[in-house]
Every structure is written in structure tokens, then in C-alpha cells.
């Protein structure tokens, strides 16, 4: 029989806003391999650790495969009828404002478009918001008030063409790794290029920085106001550009004069010399790009931070030209697309304004809709407040997990639990949000989806399916349109494919567009299905859908803003976030991402490789703060705010700013006993953008005193872990678990029986050292290790990666079994140490060994071990190990 040839599909990565092209290869046996698309202009073949591991996340384990109503399996017709009837009845009884959609940057443009159309044009309320509100709403607000539209002026290429790149509140190395690698490569080619990192933490991004400014939380307005004043003093302004293309300069400069250099130093927490050097470089370098991300956006003064940055670029005319401009990079894969279709509660489709009567009339006429939302809807935080107080009585959540990602997470969960009717469309059947749904709708996942996404540089790319839809899963656009039809809007939602939706989206962007709107992806009615299928990545505006340009498309080099007078607005800003620390809560909590995990781990949590790097939730603490509070490295720590408390592992590092701590946002109740950091965050938002302040929370820390600790490796995930602290992660061969108990445990054998996999015909070996209070258990089925559990009065000192490897090895020899019980490598075994390179599973001890053997550069380590030679995300950590070895050798 002739073997079926592999199929290769060009698609787009579903992670961050970089929007990398991916080649997905499906072999004859159905196995999938992914690699970067060398022809895609976002990544040119590069992928980060998460993108490289995509094939490990597409299994059906945990998938929601059938509709469910009140916990029972149902058919699609019954489930869709229930959703349509309940929403229709709620609207009839309580009005359109009583229902809401909370959607996601994980949706494709076509999904987003029909959800927005249904809510704003046919239900008649703007109560549709998105988790992108948590990501880039302040950038949207800053763009709109400066440019008149939510326009990103530049292109990724500008990062490579600039002579100075300023990274503000952006851990590019871990959050947008491919962009970081492009920047690092450009700097390596042109060492004279300067990179400045403005961030309270010295993240791995600072590895290539010429200057790191460890700014005080929310000190950005003061820093960039001071810069604007310095630019005026240094004669670095572009007077012609200011006069011809802007308004408001005098007022913005007057606001900037509010602080002198001493005042700027006080508000930023930086020394005068460091500030002066930054200002000098900015003033004397024409090609400057300022890249900003969540450290700017996720703030109660986020919009003003964006304005302060944009003011400096407008005042120097450094915008819209190669290597120049302010550049917002988004965290969500389709945050930009959501902005384009009007997926936010304060926007209309095609970048039109919900507060503009002419725009409302135009969109309503195009849609032929019976109504149009006449006012802004509830933004994310306010939406869940309305759920909590009963104003929202029917809520549809699509492709997101707000119980974990929203501030005041416990309140959000309580609100969802009490809401009369909750629908969740999602991929997994058991998230912290899905568990509270009255109706669960199985949605298509990456690899099954078909549509388009837009990345941070306004480049649209196709996500193409290469896997069949499993079970009864359906695309999100199909689910929404089926509900719309059942609500009586069949004619307006008669789409048979995502190509038809995209064609309508493109047509609306060009509808009565005389050039005064920035978003235009086609001047005709749309494209046919064949054109959609073959659509190549393109950067808008494109006058014909799919039209590409040999050059990157930029805005505003010659003005042409989208305000009524076509001039940009410099906005005077003086606000700074008030100090939130005080008696009882003396430290500032910052939240964010880590290198190998994504959002709430519904996808990356499936990958064994991605869980090797950091396997449990942690808190970064400066050693001086740790000493003050009696905390040692790897201790368990209770982090407490006025909202609640969590327990996480201590990671002591001088990269952390004194007086501040950092906890990642990924861990959920599915992966840890008490690691949901957003339960600590108050629902404080920027008054303009509505974006929550997720990076400036007053907390205190204290050592979590445990009576006993444990560590386990298991072939099966335990159903219940009866420990005060636990964190679980996938590993090769199964699962690894960290445990801690607040009180002495009377029956350790019962604990072992509850944790270790049970099966007939098993053999359990055990060891007890009563004096040292150590107990160990290992359970075997034939030659296979089912699980090993190590318990002690102090943290368990078993090499984690060595223990994990035992799950995949045969253990016929009694000596090998006893080595497992002893918890240490036998003769000839290797302890890799903590995994640094996830792509090749290379540990810190292996890298240190290579350094001792003479590998004194990252490249040399790569040649010896392959570490850092794939996605490159770990290169900064490899360099830090090399540096530490050099310091040790010099002592």
C-alpha cells in the first residue's frame, strides 16, 4: 500500500501578538510536527519555546467534546436553543443591558466580528468586552486621543533599523521572544545600536541592555515628562513637525515642567546620572523606537503613560519613519484583530467610534440591523461588578478564564457562580471558569480553527486547520451565528464559512471610507473563498484584501492623523499613581508572565517540555527583603493583600527591586492549591481605558511554616491532594508534585495511598527514618515505576529531574529500585539540575559543567549541548550561568 505523503499547512501561532508563521506537518500516522515558517514576515522561521512545543498541546486530554446543560451531555440543538431562548427572554424581561458577552483575544477575527455584530447591532447593547481589556486597552486609549484612531504607526522592522530602542515595561525576552531575538540579532550586527530597558525588575531582557533603569512602580509619566522637558532644553525638538502636524505642545510642555531633575529622580526612584544619560541618548539619537507593553498598560495611569511616551515622539517628529516611533506590543494573539472588529465595549467595528452618531448610523446601515448600541457598554471590571450585583443576568464567556485572569478573582468567581445564566464556549472541560457554567459549548482549538488574526504590527495572517474537529466541537463563529439565527436574526447571520465573514469585515472597513479612517483592508465587497484560502500575510491598510507591499507600511511621517483637523494631539499629563504601600502592606506586588507558560495554562500546561523550566508558582524577592522577613531561598511564602492570600515558593534574586515582589499570573486551581495571584489584586482601573492595575498592589509576605514537605513523581494525576500546599506539573512520563503540610500527619501511609497511582498487582517499597523524620514510598507495576513519594520534616532534597526520568525507565533490578527509594542518582546516573533550555531539556548543572570544561560563550555552550540553539529564549540564562562561573573563579 502506498504511504500517504505528509501534509504541510501554513498557519499562525496562537500565543502572543508577534503573530509568528508556523508550518504544521501532519505525517501519515497522524503525528504533528511544527516549525517556524521561513517566509512569514513576522518571524522568518523563528519560534519561541512555546511555539516550538505547539504539537505537544493538541491532544484531546481534558477536551470539552460535547455540549453540556447543567452537567449533563446534550445535543447541539438543545444547547443552542437554551442559550437563544434564555438570552431572548432575559432581554425581553430586563432589557438589552441585562446581558453581556465576555470574549477573548484567543478568538479569530471572524469569531470576534459576529459576536460584536450580534451584541451591538441586533441585541442593541455594547456589553461586549474582552480579556484584551487586561492587555492593551490603555494603548488603545492613548492612540485614540493622540492620533484620532487606534493606529500603531510602525513595523517590526523598525526595531532592527533603530539606533536606540527603549523597552518600557516590556520583558521582551520572555513575553515576545521572537521580537527579542530579532532585536538581539540586529544589535549583534550593529554593536553601536543602544538598548535601554525601563523596568522595576532586571528581567532577562536587560541581558542585551546598555542601560537598565530600575524605575519605581508607575514612575513612567514622570520619566517621560522629564524627557520632554529635556528635549526642549537640548534643542532636540522638531519645530516644523510640531507646527504643521500637532496641537497641544505648549500645554504638554508646561505639564512636563512641573518637575525638575530632583523631582523626577524622586518620583522615578532613579539617580540623576542614570536619568541624564537616558535623556542624552534619546535627545542625540534620531532613530529611536520606544517599545512598551504591560508594564505601561496595566496601570491606573496607563493611558497617561502612553501619552507621555507618544508626546516625546511627536515633539521630535520621530514617528512613522524607518527606525522611529512609539510601538505598543500586544500580549494576546489577536488583540489587534479584536480592536479592528470593535470587540471592546467602547468601540464600533472597523475602528469606528461608538460615541459618534455618524459612525453608528453608518455601521447600522451596513449591517441592516434593527438597532445599534448608542453608548459605551460595560468594560471588563465593571461588567463583572454588574454580574455580581445582579444587573447582568445572562453572561456568555468565550475562550477565556476570568476567574483566574481578572483582578479580584474571588469576587469574579462568586459573581459567576451566582449569575442566573452562564454560558461558556471553550476548549477544555474543567477550568476554574467552565466549572460554573450552566451551558458548556465545545469550541474548536488551534489546529482546528479557520480564519484570520492580526498581529502587533497590523499584519493579518491566516490560521488554517490541519486537524479534524474532534467530537462535536464547533468553531466559535458557527456557535455565535447559530444562536443569532435562533434569536430571530437568521438573514443577517447566514454565513456558511469564515471566508464570507471576512469578506463582510473587509467590506465594512472600506464602506464610505474617504481616507479619514485608518483601518481599510479592501475597497471592494470582499474576497471569494478561493482568495481567502490562499490569503498571504499582509499589513493593513491594503486597498484590496490580500494586497501586499514590498515595504513596511507606516503612518504619520507626514502627518495625516485621523483627528478632525488631521493633526496629532500632544496631551498634557501630570498624574502619577498614588503610593499604595503602607502599614500592614509594605511591599509592591508586580504580576506578569514567565518564559514557557501562557495565560492560565490551558494550552501550555499540557506540554511536559514547557513545565520543566518553572514547575510551580513562585515569588521573586530581593535578598535584602527576604532577610528582613526571615525568608530563605525556596521557602514557602504567604503573600497577602487586603483582598486575600496565596502560598508560593520563594525565589531570591537581586534582579528584583527592593521593596517589590513579583508573582507570575499563570497558576490556577488546576495546577496549585493556592496560587491564583489575581485574587490579591483590587479592581482598580485606569479611568480612561478601564484597564486594571495588575502591577502595583500593596502586599506583605511571611514565611509559610510547614510541619512536613513532600515531592512526588507519578504516572497518573491524582484526583485529590490532601495537602496545605501543592503544585502539580506535567513531566516526561507523567506528573511531578510539590507538597507541604501545615500540621504533623499521623498516617503517612494513607497519604501515600492517596497520592500514588493504584493498580492491581503492584509492589510498594517503603523506607522510614524516624530520627530524621523521613519517609519514602515507591510503587511499581512489574518493571515500571508508577510513582515515588518523598516526605520529610525539611524541604525534600531529591534531584527533581533525575526523579522524573525514572518514570520512563525500566526497573527490573532491585538495586535500581532501592536507588529510587534512596532518592539519589546511582552510579553512572546524571543530575541535570534545573532545566534551563526547554527545547532540548538541558539543565543548569550540565551548562555549568560545560563552562568548567571550557565553554565560555553562549555559542560554545550551544555547540556542546545544543542549549540555546533553537528558540534562543534561554540564551540570557545561559549567559548568566557563564557570568556566575567567572565571578566564582575570580574569587
Amino acid at each position: 500500500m502506498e504511504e500517504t505523503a505528509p501534509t504541510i499547512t501554513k498557519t499562525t501561532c496562537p500565543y502572543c501578538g508577534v503573530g509568528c508563521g508556523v508550518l504544521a506537518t501532519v505525517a501519515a500516522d497522524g503525528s504533528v510536527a511544527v516549525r517556524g515558517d521561513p517566509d512569514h514576515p513576522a518571524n522568518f522561521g523563528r519560534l519561541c519555546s512555546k511555539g516550538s512545543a505547539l504539537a505537544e498541546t493538541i491532544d484531546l486530554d481534558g477536551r470539552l467534546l460535547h455540549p453540556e446543560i447543567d452537567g449533563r451531555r446534550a445535543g447541539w440543538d438543545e444547547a443552542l436553543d437554551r442559550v437563544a431562548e434564555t438570552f431572548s427572554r432575559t432581554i425581553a424581561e430586563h432589557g438589552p443591558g441585562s446581558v453581556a458577552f465576555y470574549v477573548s483575544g484567543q478568538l479569530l477575527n471572524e469569531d470576534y466580528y459576529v459576536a460584536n455584530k450580534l451584541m451591538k447591532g441586533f441585541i442593541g447593547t455594547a456589553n461586549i468586552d474582552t480579556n484584551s481589556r487586561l492587555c492593551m486597552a490603555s494603548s488603545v486609549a492613548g492612540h485614540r486621543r493622540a492620533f484620532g484612531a487606534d493606529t500603531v504607526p510602525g513595523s517590526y522592522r523598525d526595531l532592527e533599523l533603530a539606533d536606540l530602542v527603549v523597552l518600557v515595561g516590556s520583558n521582551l525576552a520572555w513575553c515576545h521572544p521572537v521580537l527579542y531575538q530579532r532585536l538581539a540579532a540586529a544589535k549583534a550586527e550593529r554593536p553601536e545600536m543602544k538598548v535601554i530597558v525601563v523596568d522595576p525588575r532586571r528581567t532577562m531582557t536587560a541581558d542585551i541592555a546598555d542601560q537598565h533603569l530600575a524605575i519605581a512602580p508607575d514612575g513612567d509619566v514622570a520619566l517621560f515628562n522629564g524627557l520632554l522637558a529635556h528635549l526642549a532644553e537640548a534643542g532636540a525638538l522638531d519645530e516644523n513637525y510640531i507646527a504643521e502636524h500637532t496641537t497641544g505642545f505648549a500645554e504638554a510642555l508646561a505639564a512636563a515642567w512641573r518637575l525638575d531633575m530632583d523631582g523626577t529622580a524622586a518620583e522615578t526612584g532613579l539617580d540623576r546620572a542614570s536619568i541624564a544619560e537616558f535623556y542624552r541618548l534619546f535627545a542625540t539619537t534620531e532613530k529611536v523606537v520606544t517599545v512598551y507593553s504591560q508594564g505601561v498598560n496595566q496601570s491606573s495611569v496607563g493611558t497617561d503613560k502612553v501619552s507621555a511616551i507618544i508626546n516625546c515622539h511627536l515633539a521630535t517628529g520621530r514617528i512613522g519613519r524607518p527606525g522611529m516611533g512609539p510601538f505598543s506590543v500586544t500580549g494576546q494573539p489577536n488583540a489587534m484583530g479584536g480592536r479592528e472588529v470593535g470587540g471592546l465595549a467602547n468601540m464600533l467595528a472597523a475602528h469606528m467610534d461608538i460615541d459618534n452618531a455618524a459612525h453608528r448610523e453608518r455601521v447600522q446601515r451596513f449591517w441592516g440591523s434593527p438597532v445599534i448600541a448608542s453608548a459605551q457598554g460595560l468594560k471588563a471590571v465593571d461588567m463583572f461588578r454588574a454580574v455580581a450585583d445582579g444587573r447582568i443576568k445572562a453572561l456568555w464567556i468565550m475562550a477565556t478564564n476570568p476567574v483566574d485572569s481578572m483582578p479580584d478573582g474571588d469576587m469574579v468567581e462568586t459573581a459567576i457562580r451566582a449569575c442566573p445564566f452562564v454560558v461558556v464556549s471553550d476548549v477544555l472541560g474543567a477550568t476554574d471558569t467552565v466549572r460554573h457554567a450552566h451551558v458548556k459549548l465545545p469550541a474548536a482549538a488551534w489546529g482546528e480553527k479557520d480564519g484570520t488574526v492580526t498581529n502587533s504590527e497590523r499584519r493579518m495572517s491566516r490560521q488554517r486547520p490541519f486537524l479534524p474537529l474532534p467530537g462535536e466541537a464547533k468553531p466559535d463563529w458557527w456557535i455565535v451565528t447559530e444562536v443569532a439565527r435562533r434569536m430571530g436574526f437568521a438573514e443577517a447571520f447566514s454565513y456558511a464559512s469564515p471566508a464570507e465573514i471576512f469578506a463582510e469585515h473587509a467590506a465594512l472597513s472600506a464602506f464610505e471610507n474617504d481616507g479619514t479612517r485608518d483601518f481599510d483592508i479592501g475597497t471592494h465587497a470582499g474576497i471569494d473563498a478561493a482568495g481567502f484560502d490562499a490569503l498571504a500575510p499582509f499589513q493593513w491598510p491594503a486597498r484590496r484584501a490580500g494586497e501586499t507591499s514590498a515595504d513596511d507600511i507606516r503612518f504619520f511621517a507626514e502627518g495625516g492623523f485621523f483627528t478632525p483637523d488631521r493633526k496629532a494631539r500632544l496631551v498634557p499629563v501630570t498624574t502619577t499613581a498614588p503610593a499604595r504601600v503602607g502599614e500592614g502592606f509594605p511591599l509592591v506586588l508586580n504580576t506578569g508572565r514567565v518564559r514557557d507558560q501562557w495565560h492560565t495554562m490551558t494550552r501550555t500546561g499540557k506540554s511536559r517540555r514547557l513545565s520543566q523550566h518553572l514547575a510551580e508558582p513562585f515569588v521573586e524577592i530581593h535578598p535584602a527583603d527576604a532577610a528582613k522577613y526571615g525568608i530563605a531561598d525556596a521557602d514557602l511564602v504567604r503573600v497577602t493583600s487586603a483582598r486575600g492570600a496565596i502560598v508560593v515558593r520563594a525565589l531570591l534574586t537581586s534582579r528584583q527591586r527592593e521593596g517589590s515582589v513579583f508573582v507570575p499570573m499563570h497558576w490556577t486551581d488546576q495546577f496549585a492549591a493556592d496560587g491564583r495571584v489575581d485574587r490579591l489584586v483590587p479592581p482598580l482601573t485606569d479611568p480612561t481605558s478601564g484597564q486594571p492595575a495588575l502591577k502595583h498592589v500593596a502586599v506583605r509576605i511571611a514565611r509559610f511554616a510547614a510541619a512536613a514537605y513532600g515531592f512526588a513523581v507519578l504516572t497518573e494525576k491524582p484526583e485529590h491532594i490532601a495537602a496545605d500546599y501543592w503544585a502539580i506539573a506535567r513531566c516526561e512520563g507523567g506528573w511531578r508534585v510539590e507538597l507541604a503540610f501545615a500540621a504533623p500527619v499521623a498516617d503517612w501511609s494513607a497519604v501515600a495511598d492517596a497520592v500514588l497511582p493504584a493498580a492491581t498487582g503492584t509492589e510498594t517499597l517503603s523506607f522510614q527514618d524516624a530520627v530524621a523524620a523521613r519517609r519514602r514510598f515507591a510503587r511499581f507495576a512489574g518493571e515500571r515505576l508508577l510513582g515515588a513519594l518523598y516526605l520529610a520534616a525539611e524541604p525534600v532534597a531529591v534531584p527533581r529531574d533525575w526523579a522524573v526520568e525514572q518514570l520512563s525507565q525500566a526497573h527490573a533490578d532491585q538495586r535500581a529500585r532501592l536507588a529510587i527509594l534512596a532518592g539519589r542518582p546511582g552510579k553512572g546516573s546524571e543530575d541535570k539540575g534545573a532545566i534551563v533550555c526547554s527545547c532540548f531539556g538541558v539543565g543548569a548543572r550540565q551548562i555549568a559543567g560545560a563552562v568548567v570544561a571550557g565553554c565560555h560563550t553562549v555559542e560554545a555552550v550551544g555547540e556542546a549541548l545544543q542549549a540555546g540553539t533553537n528558540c534562543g529564549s534561554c540564551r540570557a540564562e545561559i549567559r548568566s550561568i557563564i557570568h556566575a562561573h567567572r565571578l566564582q573563579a575570580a574569587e
Side-chain angles (χ1 to χ4, degrees), residues 158 161-166 190 192-194 231 235-238 241 278-290 312-326 557-558:
D158 293 325
L161 297 175
D163 293 322
L164 172 63
V165 176
V166 184
R190 293 192 294 119
E192 66 275 15
M193 172 194 276
K194 301 296 183 184
L231 293 170
L237 302 176
D238 188 330
Y241 193 91
F278 167 46
Y279 288 176
R280 183 192 68 78
L281 279 171
F282 197 106
T284 58
T285 307
E286 183 181 23
K287 290 188 174 183
V288 181
V289 172
T290 304
C312 295
H313 281 272
L314 290 174
T316 54
R318 296 172 185 168
I319 188 168
R321 291 186 283 158
M324 302 182 217
E558 302 297 330

Side-chain angles (χ1 to χ4, degrees), residues 33-103:
V34 299
R35 59 188 175 91
D37 182 354
D39 298 325
H40 197 288
N43 59 314
F44 300 106
R46 296 179 177 94
L47 286 180
C48 72
S49 59
K50 294 183 290 291
S52 297
L54 273 168
E56 301 169 26
T57 69
I58 56 177
D59 62 64
L60 300 185
D61 184 30
R63 282 292 295 269
L64 178 64
L65 295 174
H66 310 282
E68 294 182 14
I69 299 176
D70 296 329
R72 63 172 175 83
R73 180 171 171 175
W76 269 111
D77 283 337
E78 183 187 6
L80 293 167
D81 286 345
R82 174 71 68 87
V83 175
E85 290 167 3
T86 306
F87 269 78
S88 295
R89 184 176 64 254
T90 304
I91 293 164
E93 294 176 357
H94 303 284
S98 65
V99 302
F101 292 173
Y102 186 64
V103 297

Side-chain angles (χ1 to χ4, degrees), residues 45 68 174 195 231 268 337 340 361 396 436-437 592 644 708 735 758 833 836:
E68 294 182 14
W174 278 17
V195 174
L231 293 170
T268 61
E340 293 156 7
E361 187 277 332
W396 190 347
H436 301 302
W735 300 83
V836 173

Side-chain angles (χ1 to χ4, degrees), residues 48 91 124 139 199 209 244 257 299 303 353 441 461 486 576 579 708 856:
C48 72
I91 293 164
S139 288
D199 198 311
E244 293 179 16
W257 287 122
S299 166
T303 305
D353 188 352
L441 303 176
S461 301
R486 285 166 167 79
T576 56
H856 295 153

Side-chain angles (χ1 to χ4, degrees), residues 663-728:
V663 178
M665 52 82 70
H666 308 289
W667 274 266
T668 71
D669 289 349
Q670 313 298 311
F671 293 96
D674 208 2
R676 288 196 290 124
V677 69
D678 281 331
R679 71 192 308 183
L680 307 184
V681 180
L684 181 67
T685 61
D686 178 285
T688 303
S689 70
Q691 183 156 358
L694 298 173
K695 295 185 173 292
H696 192 166
V697 181
V699 297
R700 62 174 178 263
I701 58 174
R703 183 175 180 273
F704 178 82
Y709 299 85
F711 171 70
V713 291
L714 311 166
T715 55
E716 298 175 9
K717 185 179 181 180
E719 291 186 8
H720 176 67
I721 303 174
D724 298 285
Y725 171 87
W726 58 265
I728 190 166

Side-chain angles (χ1 to χ4, degrees), residues 388-412:
D389 65 26
R391 284 175 288 156
I392 299 296
K393 302 178 187 302
L395 174 67
W396 190 347
I397 299 168
M398 304 179 196
T400 187
N401 196 4
V403 168
D404 296 314
S405 57
M406 284 289 295
D408 204 5
D410 287 349
M411 182 280 290
V412 171

Side-chain angles (χ1 to χ4, degrees), residues 780 802 806 810-822:
F780 299 86
W802 167 84
Q806 306 315 301
H811 302 283
D813 185 275
Q814 187 69 9
R815 204 178 320 174
R817 295 185 175 209
L818 292 175
I820 292 174
L821 204 60

